[in-house]
Amino acid sequence: MSRYTGTTATVPNVIDVLRRRRDAGTRPSHRHDPYRVAITIEGGGSRVAYPMGILAAFDELNLSLAFDAVYGVSAGAVAGALFVSGSASESLPQWPGLMSGVCDFRRLARGRTPINTELILASFERARPGIIEQMASSEVPLHPLATCTRTGQGVDLHPYIKDAETFGRAVRASATIPVLAGRSIELGGRHWVDGGVAENVGFRTAVADGATHVVVLRCRHVGETTK
């Protein structure tokens, strides 16, 4: 999707913008064009493997730094974190194992919640020590979307990210499904649960932030609705 009202001239499509940026070697902090290109990744648990495949392709085509921002909801925020660290391609084969480890309903037999979001970050660090710091300081910022438990509104948690620790909490908050993942996550003096409760795609938030082009990565086929 493209949206730009700053001129009456023809707006180039997102593929052309990304290709020109890659070929010119520009970076998010120094662009030669007036556009803001964002990715938004829908939540969907294991099915986020589909968007992960596209993110891996962007990595392999050297397009990662051609984007200005990444918005992710729930497991989409996890995929976005891997993308902004430049490790989407190498992480793709491990995605099914990561999701099956995070969500295991056999934990119910032991009196535990079936979803353990702490395992997400532990898996990242075990595979590549220091990767959370790398994610938090990426040139392409991640915007994890979560739902405020007090208001029920969807909120972009990027302003609350100050370091690796708050980055980790923001990603966990975005993926904390009520009840199934236990207690809400505290960040910035407020409590948060899964972003999909309020907004499962993140498109509106990206546009509200000024995105002129949005690449929307879905986990569901055309016509399928969220239940």
Side-chain angles (χ1 to χ4, degrees):
M1 179 270 181
S2 301
R3 179 186 69 86
Y4 184 62
T5 57
T7 177
T8 57
T10 300
V11 178
N13 64 50
V14 68
I15 296 174
D16 289 339
V17 174
L18 293 173
R19 184 183 295 118
R20 291 171 187 172
R21 288 178 169 188
R22 180 196 61 189
D23 294 347
T26 65
R27 308 181 81 87
S29 59
H30 186 66
R31 298 294 191 202
H32 298 160
D33 60 60
Y35 310 117
R36 177 175 171 83
V37 183
I39 300 177
T40 180
I41 311 164
E42 180 183 25
S46 295
R47 294 208 288 186
V48 175
Y50 299 121
M52 274 290 292
I54 299 173
L55 296 174
F58 287 152
D59 263 354
E60 294 169 0
L61 291 171
N62 296 316
L63 289 171
S64 302
L65 291 177
F67 291 94
D68 298 299
V70 176
Y71 295 78
V73 180
S74 195
V78 179
L82 291 167
F83 180 67
V84 301
S85 70
S87 56
S89 183
E90 66 182 76
S91 300
L92 178 59
Q94 286 77 47
W95 185 263
L98 172 63
M99 287 295 102
S100 63
V102 169
C103 182
D104 186 349
F105 280 86
R106 291 175 297 181
R107 294 192 186 102
L108 288 171
R110 300 190 293 272
R112 302 176 183 175
T113 57
I115 298 177
N116 185 345
T117 58
E118 291 184 5
L119 295 178
I120 298 172
L121 306 179
S123 298
F124 289 167
E125 282 294 330
R126 186 164 54 249
R128 186 195 292 182
I131 192 173
I132 307 300
E133 179 64 44
Q134 185 178 350
M135 292 171 172
S137 60
S138 171
E139 287 188 73
V140 182
L142 176 68
H143 296 254
L145 306 184
T147 303
C148 177
T149 59
R150 181 173 59 83
T151 66
Q153 295 181 334
V155 176
D156 176 8
L157 298 185
H158 179 70
Y160 295 96
I161 296 174
K162 308 300 180 184
D163 50 27
E165 193 272 334
T166 50
F167 180 93
R169 269 197 278 164
V171 172
R172 286 185 60 207
S174 183
T176 297
I177 299 175
V179 182
L180 295 179
R183 296 180 178 179
S184 58
I185 302 297
E186 189 279 329
L187 181 64
R190 300 167 71 181
H191 288 262
W192 311 93
V193 293
D194 193 287
V197 174
E199 182 183 9
N200 201 41
V201 178
F203 171 81
R204 293 184 183 88
T205 300
V207 172
D209 281 352
T212 57
H213 300 70
V214 184
V215 177
V216 180
L217 302 185
R218 301 293 307 273
C219 300
R220 295 169 174 81
H221 59 72
V222 175
E224 184 179 0
T225 57
T226 303
K227 296 182 179 179

